Amino acid sequence: MADAGGWSTIESDEGVFTSLIENLGVKDVQFEELISLDADTIRSLSPVYGVIFLFRWTREKTSNPSTPLDGSYDPSATENGVFFAAQTIQNACGTQAILSVILNQDTPSSTPFPIDIGTELRSFKDFTAAFPPELRGEALSNSEIVRTAHNAFARASPFVDETARVAPDEEADVYHFIAYTPVNGVLYELDGLQPHPISHGTCDAESFPEKVIEVLQRRIARYPEGETRFNLMAVVRDLRVRAREIGDVELLEREERKRRAWAWENTLRRWNFVGFIGEMLKGVVGMKERQGEEAYKAWVDTAKAETRKRLEKRRGGSGLSD
């Protein structure tokens, strides 16, 4: 992969992903976090366009490089209209996985409820329609519109350069996003680190919940027992649209509250409060110092006593003795 080139790390969060695609012009689509591998839960959110799977990346070895560990490569998929882009840059895999679902669910051939992807993404998809995956990945990595929408949700930190790559010899967990979505009657796994889309057999919108759960269960089973660092999000039609269609006032109110919470959380994400907190602490300490050494010492001792009380209460009263 190329250098990050100005793409920052973003959080795997349903509110972040929903706002990101809305900023790109996508209409009436949202993300819902799934807390269990359950087909009925996915079905309850129908229509579901696909799922985004986040996992700890490991270098898996296969005895046959021309065959993935599960499913089979489909080199002809892109020629048959599947949008698939190679991952050519670090930090963009989340947005790339999102677009792998969105840009494959915009026609009646894939879903009874085609996604309105907006003019910007429509222009991008049409422009890259004849590109091979590698060139399409480069086009995506160099898209100013997509990069700007992505970076609007970058994690704020005054200490970390999010565009810097981790040195190869550093022991650090690396996480990766991939997409699963039914296209042209086939369940595809779309992973930009793979040479081609991976087919997992016949699948339509109706059978998608059961089919994708089976594939995910097999993938998770390849990890050591006890591994829990996974995240799964469904890409669904805006639940407020369904609530209005069926007249479900309770669902509509719940979804509106959720949107307000997302908006507030995303606002907080755009701000870095470390400097503010530091200045506030310096002000408090300076005030106490001006009150004199005895007052400052009494303040510190009181704070230590209160901290000890809270710790003892948390431990059920069995505090440590000096």
Side-chain angles (χ1 to χ4, degrees), residues 18 29-32 234-236 238-239 255 258-259 262:
T18 301
V29 176
Q30 73 180 68
F31 291 78
E32 283 289 302
V235 189
V236 305
D238 191 332
L239 295 177
E255 289 302 313
K258 184 192 298 180
R259 291 298 180 120
W262 287 351

Side-chain angles (χ1 to χ4, degrees), residues 143-160:
S143 170
E144 184 65 28
I145 293 170
V146 177
R147 182 168 62 243
T148 299
H150 171 99
N151 285 344
F153 300 95
R155 296 185 307 188
S157 173
F159 308 117
V160 179

Side-chain angles (χ1 to χ4, degrees), residues 278-290 296 299:
E279 290 301 317
M280 183 179 68
L281 287 175
K282 285 194 292 185
V284 172
V285 171
M287 180 185 67
K288 294 297 182 181
E289 287 179 334
R290 286 192 296 272
Y296 179 78
W299 173 62

Side-chain angles (χ1 to χ4, degrees), residues 201-218:
T202 58
C203 178
D204 56 18
E206 180 64 25
S207 61
F208 174 73
E210 284 79 16
K211 292 277 190 178
V212 74
I213 290 298
E214 292 173 3
V215 174
L216 288 169
Q217 286 175 335
R218 291 197 299 269

Side-chain angles (χ1 to χ4, degrees), residues 141-208:
S141 300
N142 289 303
S143 170
E144 184 65 28
I145 293 170
V146 177
R147 182 168 62 243
T148 299
H150 171 99
N151 285 344
F153 300 95
R155 296 185 307 188
S157 173
F159 308 117
V160 179
D161 178 6
E162 296 291 351
T163 67
R165 298 192 62 183
V166 176
D169 58 342
E170 290 186 20
E171 293 293 332
D173 288 331
V174 177
Y175 293 88
H176 185 51
F177 293 88
I178 60 176
Y180 292 92
T181 186
V183 189
N184 299 332
V186 176
L187 173 57
Y188 281 108
E189 176 183 328
L190 301 175
D191 178 355
L193 297 181
Q194 298 293 335
H196 307 286
I198 297 175
S199 167
H200 289 284
T202 58
C203 178
D204 56 18
E206 180 64 25
S207 61
F208 174 73

Side-chain angles (χ1 to χ4, degrees), residues 273-317:
F273 294 97
V274 174
F276 168 75
I277 294 170
E279 290 301 317
M280 183 179 68
L281 287 175
K282 285 194 292 185
V284 172
V285 171
M287 180 185 67
K288 294 297 182 181
E289 287 179 334
R290 286 192 296 272
Q291 291 175 355
E293 184 176 348
E294 289 301 321
Y296 179 78
K297 184 176 184 302
W299 173 62
V300 172
D301 290 342
T302 300
K304 288 181 178 179
E306 288 296 325
T307 300
R308 180 176 291 250
K309 280 183 184 178
R310 284 195 293 269
L311 289 174
E312 290 177 353
K313 185 176 181 181
R314 190 178 301 170
R315 295 167 181 156

Side-chain angles (χ1 to χ4, degrees), residues 221-234:
R222 301 206 297 262
Y223 281 80
E225 185 176 356
E227 175 63 67
T228 59
R229 287 171 288 183
F230 304 107
N231 181 260
L232 184 65
M233 271 188 276

